[in-house]
Amino acid sequence: MIVVGLGRAGCNIARAFSKFPQYETYGIDTTEDADITIRKKESHEEYDTHFPILKRKLKFKEADVLIVVAGSGKISGGILRLLEQLKTNTLSVLYIEGDLSIMSEVQKKQEKIVINVLQEYARSGILKKIILVSNSMLERTIGDMAILGYYDTLNQAIVNTLHMINVFEHSDPVIGNFIQPADICRITTLGVVDIEGADEKENWFYDLTEARDVVYYYGINEHELQNDGTLFRKINGFVKSKIDDTLNVSYGVFKTTYDQKYCYCIKYSSMVQSYKELLDD
Ligand SMILES: Nc1nc2c(ncn2[C@@H]2O[C@H](COP(=O)(O)OP(=O)(O)OP(=O)(O)O)[C@@H](O)[C@H]2O)c(=O)[nH]1
Ligand SMILES: [Mg+2]
């Protein structure tokens, strides 16, 4: 898979993907150290009207491309121009929502424009999916973090989760009941379940509403798969407890070589997500 990051958050996250051999990564930013340096513009609008042609640098087609962007930055104004140049590929977006409580009005406006238009692109099928991640929700799931390395910690959590889900999606489960999410459910988020904890708490990276499908991916090592007699009952009980009239719940159990067991999850909705904070202006 190809990962293209736009702006600082996008480039940092693309770089975090590059530790895995499965990804070819590119970062586009105005800084010298970006893989592709573009000229700095004064505003969100200017990035939209004067976004450079990068076809010679991004010359793949018919590839699976994940574009990573945070909507509050000015450079995200160029996102539609970038998508246009990549349209011969299968496109998904990993969208980073910054901390709304500390944003300026201009940044909030940019955030709102980008998140809305990208969700509409997903609904109309231009994007295969959009994965929404809120920095402040993610921060809460991680707990206390040092200031230095703050973004690194967030980025590792995002990248590791998405990578493991990608790996599991391309592997055969030991056991499971995978239900293909409805094709119209292209607005998604990721999460992790604390399966070692007593209450098996779900920690979602975005507060996705009106979800129609949810998939739990369990990564368990061979020893436990062979010897833990309670595991299947536990997983089954957990999955069943999530089912209701409006939600399809499926799961897969996968063999890993890690000591610890993991449960990653992904939730799908067909509805454009909006928030109070962004609505009342
Ligand atoms: N998760 C995550 N968020 C980040 C990271 N870097 C910045 N952000 C957040 O992303 C949002 C946009 O900030 P930047 O990425 O610095 O902006 P930009 O995309 O470079 O856009 P410009 O305004 O043109 O510089 C802010 O809310 C930041 O808090 C990162 O490495 N990881
Ligand atoms: Mg920047």
Side-chain angles (χ1 to χ4, degrees):
M1 178 181 249
I2 292 168
V3 180
V4 178
L6 178 65
R8 180 159 66 126
C11 289
N12 287 346
I13 291 169
R15 201 172 313 116
F17 270 107
S18 67
K19 73 176 171 189
F20 300 112
Q22 289 93 334
Y23 307 91
E24 182 182 326
T25 68
Y26 300 83
I28 305 169
D29 205 348
T30 53
T31 49
E32 284 300 317
D33 61 344
D35 301 320
I36 301 173
T37 304
I38 66 172
R39 191 166 303 153
K40 194 173 159 78
K41 302 279 187 313
E42 288 314 310
S43 68
H44 203 236
E45 294 77 18
E46 228 183 292
Y47 277 108
D48 181 49
T49 44
H50 299 296
F51 198 75
I53 307 290
L54 302 173
K55 275 188 187 147
R56 271 193 301 142
K57 303 220 164 86
L58 304 171
K59 46 183 168 211
F60 27 87
K61 50 181 182 209
E62 289 166 40
D64 255 321
V65 181
L66 178 71
I67 297 109
V68 189
V69 66
S72 65
K74 285 182 191 162
I75 200 170
S76 72
I79 186 72
L80 298 188
R81 299 289 139 313
L82 177 63
L83 290 174
E84 213 167 80
Q85 296 180 44
L86 292 170
K87 68 180 177 206
T88 56
N89 300 281
T90 303
L91 303 175
S92 302
V93 168
L94 171 58
Y95 182 86
I96 307 299
E97 180 193 87
D99 187 344
L100 297 165
S101 65
I102 53 169
M103 268 183 213
S104 71
E105 289 309 309
V106 173
Q107 288 170 326
K108 276 190 200 170
K109 197 177 118 214
Q110 289 166 180
E111 174 88 54
K112 178 178 170 175
I113 291 171
V114 178
I115 197 170
N116 273 324
V117 72
L118 289 177
Q119 290 185 84
E120 292 299 347
Y121 268 41
R123 269 170 60 102
S124 70
I126 297 171
L127 299 180
K128 185 174 147 201
K129 68 177 174 214
I130 179 168
I131 303 161
L132 303 174
V133 171
S134 141
N135 276 351
S136 39
M137 278 199 62
L138 187 58
E139 186 187 312
R140 259 174 270 152
T141 79
I142 295 173
D144 293 341
M145 279 183 281
I147 293 179
L148 274 182
Y150 170 81
Y151 284 134
D152 272 347
T153 309
L154 294 186
N155 297 348
Q156 290 307 327
I158 298 167
V159 167
N160 290 344
T161 304
L162 188 52
H163 172 66
M164 287 312 291
I165 290 175
N166 283 339
V167 168
F168 292 151
E169 276 178 348
H170 292 96
S171 327
D172 289 323
V174 182
I175 191 166
N177 74 327
F178 191 70
I179 302 166
Q180 185 66 37
D183 191 44
I184 54 165
C185 291
R186 291 165 182 257
I187 298 170
T188 74
T189 191
L190 314 172
V192 288
V193 183
D194 176 17
I195 47 176
E196 309 278 14
D199 56 352
E200 297 181 296
K201 191 171 179 304
E202 282 175 44
N203 293 308
W204 291 102
F205 299 172
Y206 189 89
D207 184 18
L208 199 79
T209 59
E210 300 190 65
R212 288 252 295 256
D213 293 88
V214 60
V215 185
Y216 296 96
Y217 296 90
Y218 286 86
I220 315 275
N221 67 44
E222 183 156 21
H223 180 80
E224 286 191 55
L225 285 174
Q226 249 157 16
N227 298 297
D228 187 344
T230 64
L231 196 60
F232 184 62
R233 205 177 334 123
K234 260 168 84 180
I235 292 175
N236 232 324
F238 176 78
V239 170
K240 274 193 190 139
S241 75
K242 300 294 169 188
I243 298 175
D244 67 30
D245 297 347
T246 59
L247 195 65
N248 295 314
V249 183
S250 55
Y251 76 99
V253 178
F254 298 84
K255 192 162 78 181
T256 69
T257 52
Y258 301 112
D259 283 343
Q260 227 193 328
K261 40 181 188 287
Y262 291 99
C263 179
Y264 299 103
C265 39
I266 178 163
K267 202 153 59 167
Y268 298 80
S269 174
S270 63
M271 303 302 284
V272 170
Q273 309 289 308
S274 51
Y275 331 65
K276 277 206 174 59
E277 233 170 324
L278 291 175
L279 283 178
D280 52 21
D281 65 355

